[in-house]
Amino acid sequence: MKQFKQVTFRLNGKEVSCVVDVRSSLTDMLRNQFGLTSVKKGCEVGECGACTVLINKEAFNSCIYLAVWAEGKDILTLEGLMGPNGELSDIQQAFMEEAAVQCGFCTPGFILTAYEILEEPRDYTDDELRKLLSGHLCRCTGYENILRAVKKVLRQRLEAAKA
Amino acid sequence: MPNVGKSVTRVDAFDKVTGRAQYTDDRCPNSALVARVVHSTIAHGYVKSVDTSEAEKIPGVVRIFTCFDVPDIKFPTAGHPWSVEEAHQDVADRRMLNRHVRYYGDDIAAVVAEDEVAAAQAARAIKVEYDPLPFVLDPIEATKEGAPLLHKEYPNNILKHTSIRQGDYAAAIQEPGLICVDKWYETPTVQHCHIENFICYAYEENGRIVVISSTQIPHIVRRTVGQALGIPWGKVRIVKPYIGGGFGNKQDTLYEPLCAWLSMQVGGRTVKLDVPREDTFVSNRVRHAEKIHIISWVRPDGTYAARKLVMYSNQGAYASHGHSIVAKGMGAFPQMYPCPNVECDSYTVYTNRSVAGAMRGYGIPQAMFAFESHTEDVCRRLGCDSLAFRRKNLMPVGFVDPFSKNENYYDSYNQCLDKAIAYMDYERKRAEYANQTGPVRKGIGLAPFWYNTAVWPISLEHSSCRMVLNQDGSIQLQVGETEIGQGADTAYAQMAADTVGLADYTSVHVQSCQDTDITPFGLGAYASRQTYTCGFAIRQTGLLLKEKILAYASEMTRMPVYNLDLVDSNIVRVTDGRVMMPLADLAVESFYSLTHSVHITAESTYQIKSNAYSFGCCCAEVEVDIPLAKVKLTKIINVHDCGTLINPALAEAQVHGGMSMGIGFALSEQLLYDGKTGRALNNNLLDYKLSTFMDHPHLEAQFVENPEPTSAFGTKALGEPPTCPVAPAIRNAILNATGVEVDTLPMTPHTLYRRFCEEGLIQDPWRKEG
């Protein structure tokens, strides 16, 4: 028997509401009901990180998060990073400049975890950054340029904080 | 050339960092029906019956089809150009669903349902009765008399056996004073692990079947879908949106024919077939596991007198790319270290395992692990320096392969080795690490590699290109080659801009989404061919377009064509350098002129009858914890001579990714099979250990840029080569650290523990022998 439930939450800064099958994952709700295609499906069991979204500013694998749990939450997907006039966030810009994008399938998830890390910039070592980003799998980049991009923005933000 | 050679931003970067780039699933309507494939739960046997009665009762199930329903047509799946000679055509040995199941995971039935949950529930509720047969997982066992036979057309399960004979091996080994080094090497089954699983969806439109597919080879899949369904190839349309990685797995026809057929059975409604990760590991393609035997007869002065190679390649249940993979590896053997007396034999053998197909490197990573481990082992027996030995014996400048006509134009091997050695401080460290004691030891090792670009003359090579002048003086670019994440579209835009004479690569709009109804025919993304092969077509077509533009400019300016040029998007009079008009003005005139209106376009095909060596090396440093049998990779560099770099930043990024895959192949990746059932044991991303962010040190990528003389832009293969030398370099570093020759990949603690016990580095009183 299919059961449905109404869910109300904030999505990329806007109050939204919809009716979902209670068995749905947050991934499926965001993709199918809100058309947010940045939320990618790579394994659907929380292994690859491609479906990452921020829930109350914390990165989660949305594939193993039930849609109904979104009730009352503040959810940010990659689409929500773009400014009102179409401007990119610094971390998106850095991914472009540092050639951190290849096939692009892991990119949205990586950017959101990086965004979470960068919101509270600290003087992380490379090893600490690697560990913080290790919930995402990528087969194209060897992670090298992704690390470069994150470090670049981290430096920028730390310098901005000092100034 | 203002665009080629610059690290410009990828043409698709913006769409990818904003999540806007559309992949297959992003284009599929929510109303699509969902297909789920039911897989065999035995490794070998016949399906006696399939009971679908319980499954059909599940709400939301639309139709269920079994191996008794599909057309009795066998089809080939390899992403090869079709051969018009029957003897060279790919082996057709599977149906869309199979009654004779040949591996644990073979395709038996398919459910079409209204949603994923119903499809999955129905798939589980289907009851299959089998007549089981004995199975075999090892390629050497499979060739023995009495082994279970997979395909009756192939006695002893040998799909193909080919040989190379040079000189007289038997006579040469009689030379007195020779040292014989006789060893076996073994590489595992690994999987591509692109983050987007294979997915496709199909529907009927205007009496034709349309398949949107995550494929590297849209134009080839058009043919194979036609073949599998027994319908004219023109009735099939394939569309390739952005794809989330392929690495060779998607250089194969996977489920496109089945998905198309399912759609046709339900009235042409849209059917989506999204492969779960667990099935991607088992029921797509894997890299061939190989067992490789090398016997070298070496003179005390460090030269080869005679060499013998035997390779067994584990094909799994169906032919897919088949023998071409091990044959490529075998072909490298007599070329890399030329020797007058060589005997090579390679066997591709069917076994009851997952089907092996193309994977980044196409047989060369396996071959290089064996060849370059062996080089190190030969030098140990001789007591000579392995770097000096390589410099003396590697393919010399001027070497020409009589078959491919490939010529080694430059001293790439030594130039690449020099750079790697300088970066790593190799020679000092090599001496420093020679005599270590204690539980944790350091080591450094290197390995060069052999690779060639594209597939001529084994197969057809051509490339087609269409350019259309837009009304603003920009151009549309269509090619048959496929962007799969590597950055091909960006390189093409750079090449096209320079050839035509446009100021900026952003004035070239590349049709990234391949559509067999729109883009010219092309062979696809494989063999690290596209920058090389498509370069010819872009240059030839760009020159044609430029010629037409200048002819029109001649009319407009009343100047002779030979006094005009197209530079930085301007029509320029070369005699005095005067800008006669912007290309944009000419474009508007050409479209809307009331006296001579013409749509300026150009289209051409270039058939490539050349091929290019692409060489380089890897150097790696490790720390080995002997009691824990654990390796930490501490420093690594790859150096490549892939000719002129079109986009240095993207080239570097390609090398990083290849190195990462090589590190996984060396140290952690292996798809394990249960010997009792043939079932894959670790077919998920948690238990299958592909490299994570924490498994790498900094990946250093450097280049030697010797322009390739045969190439339209001086460029040659780079996509696959970075994966090829990594495993032997790490292995040779472990040997340097411990004095232990590890001849089996991956070099996990399991492998190293066994070897360290055998060599007396670990004393374990509880260890059982064997």
Side-chain angles (χ1 to χ4, degrees):
Chain A
M1 262 295 280
K2 282 189 184 178
Q3 285 188 314
F4 295 91
K5 204 174 169 187
Q6 169 112 2
V7 192
T8 304
F9 58 105
R10 274 183 84 76
L11 179 58
N12 295 331
K14 268 170 67 178
E15 201 74 23
V16 294
S17 192
C18 77
V19 174
V20 291
D21 185 326
V22 294
R23 301 167 302 180
S24 288
S25 68
L26 180 57
T27 304
D28 283 338
M29 177 173 75
L30 293 174
R31 285 184 62 82
N32 299 338
Q33 285 173 272
F34 294 94
L36 296 170
T37 54
S38 76
V39 187
K40 297 293 182 214
K41 297 202 281 187
C43 69
E44 296 192 83
V45 287
E47 289 160 359
C48 77
C51 64
T52 297
V53 300
L54 298 187
I55 303 175
N56 294 348
K57 297 185 176 173
E58 199 182 334
F60 278 87
N61 287 320
S62 65
C63 70
I64 48 171
Y65 193 99
L66 283 177
V68 291
W69 295 344
E71 179 65 36
K73 301 288 193 317
D74 185 1
I75 293 176
L76 185 73
T77 71
L78 185 64
E79 287 84 351
L81 287 196
M82 186 178 269
N85 304 312
E87 58 272 35
L88 293 184
S89 64
D90 50 4
I91 185 65
Q92 287 169 300
Q93 195 66 42
F95 265 65
M96 288 177 68
E97 288 163 3
E98 297 301 318
V101 178
Q102 288 191 38
C103 85
F105 208 76
C106 73
T107 306
F110 258 120
I111 290 179
L112 284 171
T113 292
Y115 183 86
E116 181 197 18
I117 296 167
L118 293 163
E119 278 302 277
E120 288 175 35
R122 270 182 33 205
D123 204 0
Y124 292 111
T125 63
D126 282 10
D127 281 351
E128 286 171 329
L129 279 179
R130 284 179 183 277
K131 193 168 182 179
L132 287 167
L133 292 160
S134 65
H136 297 267
L137 294 173
C138 169
R139 197 53 146 171
C140 299
T141 65
Y143 309 101
E144 186 70 24
N145 290 351
I146 293 172
L147 186 67
R148 275 189 209 174
V150 176
K151 281 171 71 176
K152 181 180 189 173
V153 178
L154 184 63
R155 270 197 310 275
Q156 287 168 359
R157 293 217 187 168
L158 286 172
E159 275 161 30
K162 262 190 254 166
Chain B
M1 287 199 169
N3 285 283
V4 164
K6 281 189 191 157
S7 291
V8 301
T9 305
R10 292 175 68 107
V11 295
D12 52 8
F14 186 92
D15 281 5
K16 286 179 175 176
V17 301
T18 52
R20 243 172 234 184
Q22 291 208 324
Y23 300 77
T24 300
D25 196 34
D26 304 333
R27 298 167 62 115
C28 185
N30 285 342
S31 58
L33 299 173
V34 173
R36 183 59 80 97
V37 180
V38 179
H39 300 288
S40 164
T41 54
I42 61 167
H44 193 200
Y46 285 92
V47 176
K48 224 157 71 176
S49 65
V50 183
D51 177 1
T52 60
S53 54
E54 287 303 313
E56 275 162 13
K57 289 180 197 156
I58 292 169
V61 169
V62 177
R63 293 282 301 275
I64 297 173
F65 302 94
T66 74
C67 51
F68 299 99
D69 302 322
V70 292
D72 187 19
I73 300 173
K74 288 183 179 179
F75 62 97
T77 66
H80 292 150
W82 188 234
S83 176
V84 288
E85 295 164 40
E86 208 178 320
H88 293 121
Q89 287 170 358
D90 289 313
V91 174
D93 62 358
R94 63 156 71 197
R95 294 172 183 83
M96 284 186 280
L97 299 167
N98 296 295
R99 267 181 261 180
H100 181 178
V101 290
R102 296 176 173 94
Y103 71 103
Y104 198 116
D106 207 338
D107 307 326
I108 293 178
V111 176
V112 179
E114 283 167 9
D115 58 56
E116 282 174 42
V117 177
Q121 285 175 341
R124 278 196 298 274
I126 287 173
K127 295 185 192 77
V128 182
E129 248 195 301
Y130 302 99
D131 277 329
L133 291 168
F135 64 89
V136 60
L137 302 175
D138 179 86
I140 297 177
E141 292 300 315
T143 61
K144 291 182 179 164
E145 286 309 318
L149 190 66
L150 274 79
H151 299 268
K152 62 180 189 309
E153 303 84 356
Y154 295 93
N156 301 104
N157 294 309
I158 297 172
L159 172 60
K160 202 165 180 182
H161 164 215
T162 56
S163 307
I164 298 172
R165 295 289 182 269
Q166 265 174 220
D168 188 341
Y169 176 84
I173 64 172
Q174 302 303 324
E175 184 182 320
L178 294 180
I179 298 154
C180 177
V181 184
D182 180 333
K183 292 200 61 178
W184 281 85
Y185 305 90
E186 193 173 340
T187 66
T189 297
V190 296
Q191 220 269 334
H192 314 69
C193 296
H194 33 71
I195 306 300
E196 181 200 34
N197 290 303
F198 173 76
I199 176 171
C200 64
Y201 66 92
Y203 57 91
E204 284 185 295
E205 190 175 69
N206 296 329
R208 299 161 80 211
I209 185 77
V210 184
V211 188
I212 314 324
S213 176
S214 180
T215 180
Q216 299 172 220
I217 46 163
H219 302 270
I220 288 176
V221 167
R222 180 184 212 180
R223 183 246 309 160
T224 54
V225 169
Q227 288 174 322
L229 270 54
I231 60 176
W233 304 352
K235 290 264 190 193
V236 181
R237 174 181 170 202
I238 306 289
V239 178
K240 179 232 66 126
Y242 281 118
I243 98 169
F247 309 111
N249 187 35
K250 297 172 184 173
Q251 192 209 334
D252 220 305
T253 303
L254 295 167
Y255 288 112
E256 293 95 338
L258 179 62
C259 190
W261 185 75
L262 291 173
S263 169
M264 290 161 74
Q265 304 318 299
V266 294
R269 281 183 281 172
T270 305
V271 175
K272 174 165 86 170
L273 200 160
D274 185 0
V275 178
R277 176 62 63 181
E278 293 73 13
D279 293 359
T280 297
F281 273 104
V282 176
S283 305
N284 278 194
R285 303 291 178 266
V286 294
R287 190 190 286 287
H288 290 78
E290 293 187 8
K291 292 188 170 184
I292 301 173
H293 185 198
I294 306 177
I295 306 171
S296 290
W297 297 83
V298 204
R299 298 186 188 91
D301 69 354
T303 54
Y304 283 124
R307 304 189 78 198
K308 190 181 179 75
L309 169 75
V310 184
M311 307 173 89
Y312 292 92
S313 182
N314 194 332
Q315 180 53 53
Y318 297 101
S320 175
H321 284 250
H323 193 63
S324 43
I325 278 135
V326 73
K328 180 157 183 165
M330 177 173 75
F333 189 77
Q335 295 186 25
M336 199 169 166
Y337 294 95
C339 168
N341 304 293
V342 179
E343 272 189 28
C344 304
D345 288 277
S346 58
Y347 299 86
T348 297
V349 186
Y350 282 122
T351 68
N352 298 106
R353 301 218 307 194
S354 300
V355 179
M359 183 169 169
R360 196 174 200 166
Y362 212 75
I364 300 301
Q366 299 96 311
M368 289 304 120
F369 175 68
F371 300 178
E372 282 311 299
S373 298
H374 190 78
T375 305
E376 207 70 26
D377 297 345
V378 164
C379 294
R380 274 189 96 213
R381 304 291 190 284
L382 289 174
C384 74
D385 174 47
S386 60
L387 175 61
F389 180 90
R390 287 190 171 96
R391 290 199 192 273
K392 182 158 116 185
N393 288 296
L394 275 166
M395 179 196 284
V397 178
F399 177 94
V400 179
D401 170 32
F403 175 66
S404 66
K405 308 287 188 292
N406 269 0
E407 183 171 341
N408 188 18
Y409 294 102
Y410 302 100
D411 198 11
S412 307
Y413 274 127
N414 281 309
Q415 292 168 353
C416 291
L417 286 168
D418 289 343
K419 279 199 155 185
I421 286 160
Y423 173 78
M424 298 292 282
D425 198 6
Y426 174 85
E427 281 163 302
R428 187 187 64 74
K429 286 179 181 165
R430 189 85 174 168
E432 190 187 317
Y433 301 157
N435 298 301
Q436 297 171 85
T437 52
V440 180
R441 298 179 201 172
K442 290 177 178 175
I444 189 164
L446 57 76
F449 71 89
W450 175 105
Y451 195 84
N452 65 349
T453 315
V455 298
W456 176 264
I458 291 169
S459 239
L460 169 73
E461 272 301 357
H462 70 204
S463 177
S464 295
C465 174
R466 181 183 301 138
M467 289 186 191
V468 173
L469 183 66
N470 291 327
Q471 296 157 13
D472 62 352
S474 66
I475 61 170
Q476 295 297 125
L477 176 68
Q478 294 177 356
V479 294
E481 276 67 24
T482 315
E483 168 68 58
I484 63 167
Q486 76 284 59
D489 285 351
T490 310
Y492 299 154
Q494 291 176 267
M495 292 172 170
D498 284 0
T499 306
V500 177
L502 305 184
D504 193 70
Y505 78 109
T506 55
S507 299
V508 179
H509 307 297
V510 187
Q511 172 85 36
S512 186
C513 178
Q514 289 280 322
D515 181 336
T516 55
D517 268 11
I518 297 171
T519 44
F521 179 86
L523 300 166
Y526 57 83
S528 302
R529 60 186 285 277
Q530 294 195 134
T531 313
Y532 184 75
T533 57
C534 196
F536 296 103
I538 288 174
R539 183 117 184 224
Q540 179 173 282
T541 310
L543 291 174
L544 273 174
L545 186 79
K546 185 174 180 173
E547 194 183 307
K548 291 183 177 183
I549 292 169
L550 291 180
Y552 200 86
S554 170
E555 275 181 44
M556 285 178 73
T557 60
R558 295 168 287 103
M559 296 293 128
V561 157
Y562 49 75
N563 275 351
L564 295 172
D565 199 1
L566 180 48
V567 181
D568 287 344
S569 300
N570 287 315
I571 305 297
V572 173
R573 187 165 63 193
V574 292
T575 43
D576 60 355
R578 174 178 291 186
V579 173
M580 307 300 283
M581 73 184 84
L583 176 60
D585 290 0
L586 178 145
V588 171
E589 182 68 16
S590 70
F591 274 90
Y592 300 110
S593 165
L594 294 175
T595 51
H596 179 194
S597 174
V598 58
H599 189 186
I600 299 178
T601 67
E603 180 160 2
S604 77
T605 298
Y606 187 85
Q607 184 166 4
I608 298 108
K609 294 182 177 174
S610 63
N611 182 314
Y613 285 132
S614 185
F615 295 151
C617 66
C618 174
C619 188
E621 191 175 356
V622 297
E623 218 173 73
V624 186
D625 186 322
I626 293 167
L628 287 178
K630 228 178 149 177
V631 177
K632 187 180 180 198
L633 181 65
T634 53
K635 193 169 181 178
I636 188 164
I637 181 174
N638 263 33
V639 187
H640 292 267
D641 182 358
C642 58
T644 308
L645 298 178
I646 305 302
N647 185 319
L650 295 190
E652 192 191 9
Q654 275 289 93
V655 175
H656 295 152
M659 289 171 80
S660 174
M661 199 176 270
I663 292 167
F665 187 53
L667 293 175
S668 60
E669 291 182 39
Q670 181 174 28
L671 196 53
L672 296 161
Y673 293 88
D674 177 11
K676 293 194 185 81
T677 60
R679 180 182 185 175
L681 294 170
N682 58 335
N683 51 324
N684 61 73
L685 291 171
L686 200 62
D687 298 317
Y688 179 92
K689 302 296 182 186
L690 74 111
S691 298
T692 74
F693 221 125
M694 297 180 72
D695 298 315
H696 296 157
H698 162 67
L699 305 175
E700 178 73 11
Q702 292 187 12
F703 297 93
V704 170
E705 285 189 74
N706 290 314
E708 167 60 31
T710 63
S711 169
F713 290 88
T715 185
K716 55 189 173 181
L718 184 65
E720 296 169 90
T723 306
C724 300
V726 177
I730 293 173
R731 182 265 189 195
N732 292 340
I734 294 170
L735 172 59
N736 179 235
T738 62
V740 178
E741 295 169 1
V742 185
D743 302 329
T744 307
L745 290 180
M747 295 175 287
T748 55
H750 305 80
T751 307
L752 296 181
Y753 168 77
R754 178 177 58 78
R755 287 294 294 131
F756 291 169
C757 286
E758 285 167 0
E759 299 293 331
L761 266 66
I762 293 177
Q763 321 288 337
D764 183 348
W766 290 285
R767 177 176 180 261
K768 287 183 195 155
E769 290 300 319

